[in-house]
Every structure is written in structure tokens, then in C-alpha cells.
Amino acid sequence: MSGEEFPYSVTINYKFTGLETEHTFQGCGYYTTTLKTGCYAYNDNDNSVMFKITDVSDEVFGRLKYSYHEKDESTGNFRGRLYRDRLFGTFTFMSEGIESIREVAFLVKQDTLIEGVGALNEAGTAFKFRDSIQYTSKTPLATTDCK
């Protein structure tokens, strides 16, 4: 009824305890995902990303660290929300002694986080259009032991 398109059709059949009549509900749905606390990492020796998710409740909190070859390291806090299988949030980090904030997005795919890329606003701090973010990152973050 919201006008939103859903990728799946859903049918639920159930009976009340002690009754013979079966009831059926039909409608639309989408796949939900479970994001777990813990560490997710990508490492290819010259480039690494570490995301330690510390709390998954109404909001998602964690620590995020980007270390790219020949670039300044960015380490800071993540605060966001999970929308179905998409995690959106703000990354507040220190780089070259300056605090910065930018929006980041991840596709949650089983035990992997795939970072999204897309056009940013003029300040370079947020996505212009969330629905045009591409989750094609070549740096997938897989679950790993926290060190």
C-alpha cells in the first residue's frame, strides 16, 4: 500500500491452535539480513579496511579504519542504521590532525560487507542520491577475528 516495490511475494499459511480452519496471508516482502557485532576486514598487504561493529540495536555503532597505500590513514567512529540489507551511517574520523565526517554505505551480504560508492554532495560529505549507490567495491570486508 506504500507504493514501494518489493522483490519477493510472500504467502503465510497458519492455523490457530485447536482449530481446523487454515488462514492465508499474501503480500510482498524483501529479504532481511542479520548484521552481527564483530570485526569485518579487507587486506591485500598495501590496502586494508577494518570495521569493528560494537553494537547492533536501533542504531549501529563501531570503529572504522582505512589504510590505503601512500594515503593518510583514517580512523574513527561509525554511527548508522540498517535498512534491510543496506547499512548507512556517518564516519567521524581523524586524518592529518583534522576531524572530518562523511557518509558511508555498505551492502550486508551474509558475512560480508561491500562498500558502496556514488556521487557525493558539493562538500564531499554525503551521497547525493542513496538509490544510485553502486555496491561494486573491490574491497569486500569479510568477518574475521578481532585483534
Side-chain angles (χ1 to χ4, degrees):
M1 291 177 51
S2 68
E4 184 176 357
E5 290 188 30
F6 294 88
Y8 300 105
S9 62
V10 178
T11 302
I12 299 171
N13 297 312
Y14 70 96
K15 287 185 190 179
F16 287 109
T17 304
L19 297 178
E20 296 289 324
T21 307
E22 185 173 274
H23 299 274
T24 301
F25 284 115
Q26 292 183 321
C28 308
Y30 53 82
Y31 175 77
T32 58
T33 186
T34 303
L35 180 65
K36 299 176 184 129
T37 59
C39 291
Y40 297 79
Y42 170 82
N43 190 344
D44 78 350
N45 296 325
D46 290 335
N47 300 303
S48 66
V49 180
M50 173 64 89
F51 191 179
K52 182 177 183 180
I53 297 177
T54 56
D55 184 22
V56 177
S57 52
D58 288 343
E59 289 188 278
V60 177
F61 295 93
R63 295 281 296 167
L64 191 52
K65 178 180 177 181
Y66 292 91
S67 299
Y68 291 127
H69 182 67
E70 297 185 0
K71 294 198 178 205
D72 291 320
E73 187 175 278
S74 300
T75 302
N77 295 316
F78 173 89
R79 180 179 183 172
R81 290 192 181 271
L82 185 63
Y83 300 91
R84 299 185 196 139
D85 60 348
R86 305 291 196 274
L87 178 60
F88 294 98
T90 54
F91 174 43
T92 305
F93 61 97
M94 294 294 292
S95 182
E96 294 185 0
I98 299 171
E99 184 178 80
S100 299
I101 298 174
R102 73 176 173 92
E103 185 177 31
V104 292
F106 295 91
L107 170 66
V108 181
K109 199 169 185 180
Q110 296 175 333
D111 292 335
T112 304
L113 301 177
I114 302 168
E115 189 165 6
V117 295
L120 299 175
N121 64 10
E122 287 183 26
T125 58
F127 294 105
K128 279 186 178 181
F129 308 103
R130 283 186 172 181
D131 58 349
S132 65
I133 295 172
Q134 299 293 308
Y135 297 93
T136 56
S137 172
K138 293 184 170 93
T139 58
L141 282 65
T143 56
T144 187
D145 291 330
C146 295
K147 296 176 185 173

